[in-house]
Structure formats: structure tokens, C-alpha cells
DNA sequence: CTGAAAGCGCTTACAG
DNA sequence: CTGAAAGCGCTTACAG
């Protein structure tokens, strides 16, 4: 059977406590004992038993805080589901997760207040969707310096001391979108782009990835127009109508962010649904419906539930299992969906 | 903090052992005590602590056997990786997994022998890729009757008493393939099908799903030829050459099973790579290369690693956590890959 | 029918 | 610098 600390202690002729100290580098240990124990552990290929470890952690559970943007977005409801799932799984392992959703999406003061709230509760780790401003960055680094590990999710905050980021590789997902539209148009056509805002890093990155692929592999496809919709359906609708009126030759639309429904409505109103191929992102209910209706050909998911799940799991492995974070950018899979697999899994 | 068995025992004025018996319906308990304990547990919303439970199981670990086909197939190497991963995760939780790969793919006697081997080791659960013949079915039902839980993986064995099946929904994955080729051809064209064998249930199901979608949604796409390659590259090559010679109008090929490389070679030799769109299944290295080369437009993965992982996890939850198996067909996601996300995740 | 005790394997005060 | 003991929360013989 498995080798335990008890067995090592017997062989080394010391107590279990001493073995533990050697193995974890805590307390003063005489070099002779240290070496002996280390050798035995190594030769027996000792691996600590996790169940025992976790049971012990129940004595003094570690607290982890999670700050999510407003739940008005269906996207974050799914992130939260992932959080709840992993929270339940690690609850018995001495890991308590407290998740708070903000009232807003981008109120810096609110986010600062919540970070401070968690700091005062002496958390060991923090997961959040950070607002990318200096005051947040400073606050987060303050926590890091106080030995609180931070995982960002969904969108990153650059040049901070956070442990890692869990999210989509936006450039890459833009490339996937570009290739899909290239395939749909059989390599020839004119594209209209509907983007939330070029001020949003993720949108810009997707756009660049998209453009990149077209230039590299589909030289007969041209981007003929780009509109910004600020992620609003109404703006999206109006500007798309205008765009399609202006550019009658458009036969492909890439919707980079939200406002998917508005654009699709416009395509319908203009009676272009047979001609125009559409690629979008994410799997919010409206988008799913539009895929089912055949208006959207492909939509690219980023598995929000996984992002929530993974962020806490990384923290757990890091804090409890001393598992080093090898890659500080954990990318979610690029989940391509069509009418045939939109409802699946 | 969390409510424990100890606390319930205190409140009910009985011993921890008694509480345990009530909660798990074991041993004789006086109705009065039983009712009292049950009420307290319910009102306090008692949930057993998993870490403690798992630690206890280390006293007498449960054994689970896994029988996989020959590792000559890269596919099963990935399944095995999933098995190994979950095995490591549950090892400390009192769950030992022993995985044996067969020398062959379809030697019934060998599989029977391995099943008997595991039976003699008194396993609690068995995961396997069953050969779909009567003698195996009978043997498996024999194990089920001996209280051994069975999970089939990759391909199912019908009308048996197995607990559940983890694998791809082949009809569905065929549908996805059909829709993808429909999109690639913009709804018009002539398809050649390359199938392993109509005697293989999975292949037949994929073919039916594929055909179904074309008929329903792409009436201008026709299947003009079907060849069987017995999953062999050489046969695949020769028959594809013949097919393309005979049907010059083919502009789409659906490769249902293996032999992907042979077919693609033929397309290349006939200098049709620009004209013919190709959709295939799985992510074995040869297929990945062909996607990268731009010969294959889409390939549909079935996440073999997940299948391995999930099969053992289901058994673990069922045996240790008494988690009922709600759905006896656990479907893997349909993982659509293109040149842009073939190497991702 | 019920209880007292031991044990799963780890960690952490505490004592010396 | 080292050891003895307690405790995390569960389950299982064993005794009565």
C-alpha cells in the first residue's frame, strides 16, 4: 500500500511531527535528521495523502473571495455557476468561497470597496473581473503584497502582480472567426464588421486576429465597412441597416461583441438572410436562438462556466497543493457552434 | 461552521455510530431514535464531509478495473491519459484504478479473460470498451449480478445491465458533419462518402445523421458515391482515386471513420485539393497534420481523454457518493476543429 | 438496539 | 531541535 508519514517516521526513528517538518521545511531541524528523512521519503516515493490533508484543513478553512460584475449579463450567470460548482467541490476540503456580484459593470469605487471588504476578512485568495484602471491595479498589488493570491478572469489587468489570468485568447478567437467566414464565403466576398468598441482590448484583439487571417489566407475577401455599436442592440440595428444600404455587396458579417440581435434583425429587415453569412461570439440565449433560426452560421463560445470553475481551482491547487502556476494565461477552448451542436453539452 | 455527525449526536443524545447508522440505513435502530436523528439532520441541513469520508475509505480501498483495446491506436492513448489523470485524483480518496490494455482490438477470448481476471480480484467497478458479442454481454451481466458496476466507453453494448455508457452520440456527430459540409459548399454540390464499414454501428449512425441533415436542409447537395475502406489507408487511397475518376463532379468528401490519410493522398494525387472540401472525425496526429496543411476543412473531435476521465469519475460518484446515474448515456461534446484551433487546448 | 473506541493520514500547538 | 498528543469528521468492527 501507500507509504505514509507514519512509516517514514518509523524507519527514520523519529516522530511523525519531525517528518512533517522536514518535508515542509518548517521549524529548525538538525541536518542529520533532515537528510535521513529526505532520503527515505525519496526512496519510498512518498506522496502525501490528499484526503488527510484536506480533512485537516477543515480545522481552519481558507477563505477565497470572488467579485463578479453585475448578474444582468447572462454571461456572468454562467461564470457564477462554475464558481458555485467548484465551491461545493472544495468546501469539504477546507476551502470556503464567498462570491459577490457587483451592482454594476464598471464602477471603480464599488470594486475597490469590495476588494477592501474581502481584505478585511483576511482572505487567502481573490478571483475577480478587474476594471483595468490604475487605482484597481494598485489596490490589487497591495493585496498581493499582503500575501493574497489573485486570479483575474474574463479580462486581465496588465502589469499587475496577479497570479494568473483565466480567459479567452481574443486574438486567437478572432482568427478562428476569420477562418470560418473565409470558409463560408468560399474565399470570396465583402465583409462588414460590427464591433462594440475599439477601446475595448478584447474587441480590438479579435478584430486584429480576424483581419490577420483574411489577409494571410483569404486575399479575395475584403473588409468593406466597420461599425461600432457599443454593445447595444438598438445602435447595432440602426448602424447595420445603414451599412447594408451603403454597401450592397456585403455577404458576410462578423459580430465582434454584443448587440448580436440588433444586427441580425437588420439583416432580416433588409431581407438579406439568404445572402449574408454571419459569425458571432458567445452563447447567450439570444445568440443561441439566432443560430437555431439559421441566421447565424457560427458562434464561438468561450465556456464561461469553465472560466469560473478553473479560476477557483487554480487558487486551490496553488494555496493548498503548492502547485506552481506554470502558465499565467490559462486559455479556454475555442468552442465552435453551429445549428447542429448549439444545444449540445 | 458546518454541522457534523458529532454535533447531531450531541443534540440527539446518542453516539456518533448511531447517527451514522440512521443516516445510512444500516443496522437495526429503534424507530424513536431514528426519527429524532433524521429530524435533527434535516433541520440542520447536514451534509457529510467528503474529505473525512474519503480518508476513511483509505482503510479498505475500492478497486476498479479498466480494459482498453490495443494502444496501437493513438485514440486509446488519449483515453488512457484521461484514465491516468482521474486515477491519480481519486487515489488518495480510497479508489484504486488498474488499467490494462489488450493486445488486440477485437479478440473476444482475450477480453473475456481480462474480465475474469478483474472479477477474481474482487473489483467494485469495471470500465471497458466492450466487444459487442453475446458472450461478452453474458459475462458482463454476470459481473453486474455479482454487484460490480460497469461503465462502457467509446462503444456501447446494448441490452446489457451496464450502469451507463460514456461516448459520442454518433448520429449527432454525423449531423454536425453534414451541416458543416453544407456550409462549405454553400448549399450546392456532390458528395463522396468514405466509410469504414456499414457493419460498424458508429459508422452507420454517423452516415445516417449526415444524410439526414443534407436531406432536411441542403436539398441541392447530393451523395453521389459511397466507398468502404475498412479503416485502412491503402484501401482508402485506391478507392478514393477510383471514386474521383468515376465522379468528376465531386466537390465534397465526408470521411466517416479512419483511413483519413489515404483519402487525402488520393485527393492530392488527383490534384483536387482546391476543389474538394473535406470533413472528417477525430484528432489523431495524421488528421491534425492534414488540417494544418489545409486539406481537411473541419474535423470533429470526441475528446477521448474526457471519455476516459469521465468513466472512472462516474463510477467513483456512484460507488462512493451514492450519486445515482441519471442519464445512462453520457455524451461527449462535439468538438469542431479548423486550421485555426486545431492545436489549441 | 446502542455505545465506546480505534483508525484513515495529515498538521499544529505545546512541552521539553 | 524533537516528541507526544490532539484533532479534522467519518466508518467499522466489537462489546454489551
Amino acid at each position: 500500500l501507500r507509504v505514509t508519514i507514519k512509516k517514514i517516521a518509523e524507519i527514520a526513528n523519529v516522530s511523525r511531527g519531525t517528518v512533517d517538518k522536514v518535508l515542509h521545511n518548517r521549524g529548525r531541524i538538525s541536518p542529520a535528521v533532515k537528510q535521513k528523512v529526505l532520503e527515505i521519503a525519496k526512496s519510498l516515493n512518498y506522496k502525501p495523502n490528499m484526503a488527510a490533508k484536506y480533512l485537516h484543513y477543515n480545522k481552519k478553512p481558507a477563505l477565497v473571495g470572488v467579485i463578479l460584475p453585475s448578474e444582468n449579463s447572462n454571461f456572468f450567470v454562467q461564470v457564477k455557476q462554475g464558481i458555485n460548482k467548484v465551491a461545493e467541490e472544495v468546501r469539504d476540503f477546507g476551502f470556503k468561497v464567498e462570491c459577490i456580484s457587483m451592482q454594476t459593470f464598471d464602477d471603480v469605487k464599488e470594486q475597490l470597496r469590495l476588494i477592501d471588504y474581502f481584505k478585511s476578512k483576511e482572505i487567502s485568495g481573490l478571483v475577480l473581473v478587474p476594471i483595468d484602471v490604475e487605482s484597481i491595479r494598485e489596490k490589487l498589488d497591495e493585496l498581493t503584497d499582503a500575501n493574497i493570491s489573485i486570479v483575474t478572469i474574463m479580462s486581465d489587468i496588465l502589469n499587475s502582480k496577479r497570479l494568473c489570468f483565466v480567459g479567452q485568447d481574443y486574438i486567437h478567437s478572432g482568427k478562428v472567426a476569420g477562418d470560418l467566414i473565409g470558409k463560408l464565403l468560399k474565399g470570396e466576398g465583402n465583409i462588414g464588421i460590427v464591433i462594440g468598441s475599439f477601446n475595448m482590448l478584447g474587441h480590438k484583439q479579435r478584430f486584429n486576429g480576424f483581419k490577420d487571417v483574411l489577409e494571410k489566407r483569404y486575399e479575395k475577401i475584403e473588409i468593406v465597412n466597420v461599425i461600432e455599436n457599443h454593445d447595444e442592440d438598438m445602435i447595432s440595428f440602426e448602424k447595420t441597416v445603414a451599412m447594408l444600404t451603403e454597401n450592397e455587396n456585403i455577404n458576410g458579417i462578423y459580430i465582434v461583441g454584443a448587440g448580436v440581435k440588433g444586427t441580425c434583425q437588420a439583416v432580416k429587415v433588409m431581407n438579406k438572410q439568404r445572402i449574408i453569412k454571419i459569425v458571432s461570439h458567445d452563447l447567450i440565449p439570444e445568440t443561441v436562438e439566432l443560430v437555431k433560426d439559421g441566421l447565424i452560421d457560427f458562434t464561438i463560445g468561450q465556456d464561461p462556466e469553465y472560466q469560473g470553475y478553473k479560476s477557483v481551482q487554480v487558487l486551490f491547487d496553488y494555496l493548498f497543493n503548492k502547485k506552481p502556476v506554470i502558465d499565467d494565461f490559462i486559455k479556454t477552448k475555442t468552442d465552435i457552434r453551429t445549428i447542429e451542436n448549439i444545444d449540445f453539452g
Side-chain angles (χ1 to χ4, degrees), chain A residues 56-95:
Chain A
H56 177 83
Y57 289 146
N58 276 283
K59 256 187 137 165
K60 197 183 184 323
L63 186 65
V64 160
V66 179
I67 303 173
L68 259 26
S70 161
E71 279 181 55
N72 279 332
S73 149
N74 186 281
F75 185 87
F76 290 109
V77 172
Q78 290 177 63
V79 173
K80 191 162 185 181
Q81 279 165 7
I83 301 274
N84 289 342
K85 192 177 166 205
V86 68
E88 200 178 327
E89 284 179 23
V90 297
R91 191 186 47 198
D92 291 343
F93 299 168
F95 214 72

Side-chain angles (χ1 to χ4, degrees), chain A residues 296-319:
Chain A
I296 295 174
D297 294 276
F298 289 107
T299 193
I300 301 167
Q302 56 173 305
D303 210 339
E305 192 178 327
Y306 173 83
Q307 291 186 31
Y309 187 95
K310 192 70 186 175
S311 61
V312 172
Q313 197 190 44
V314 165
L315 234 28
F316 180 78
D317 282 339
Y318 181 73
L319 293 173

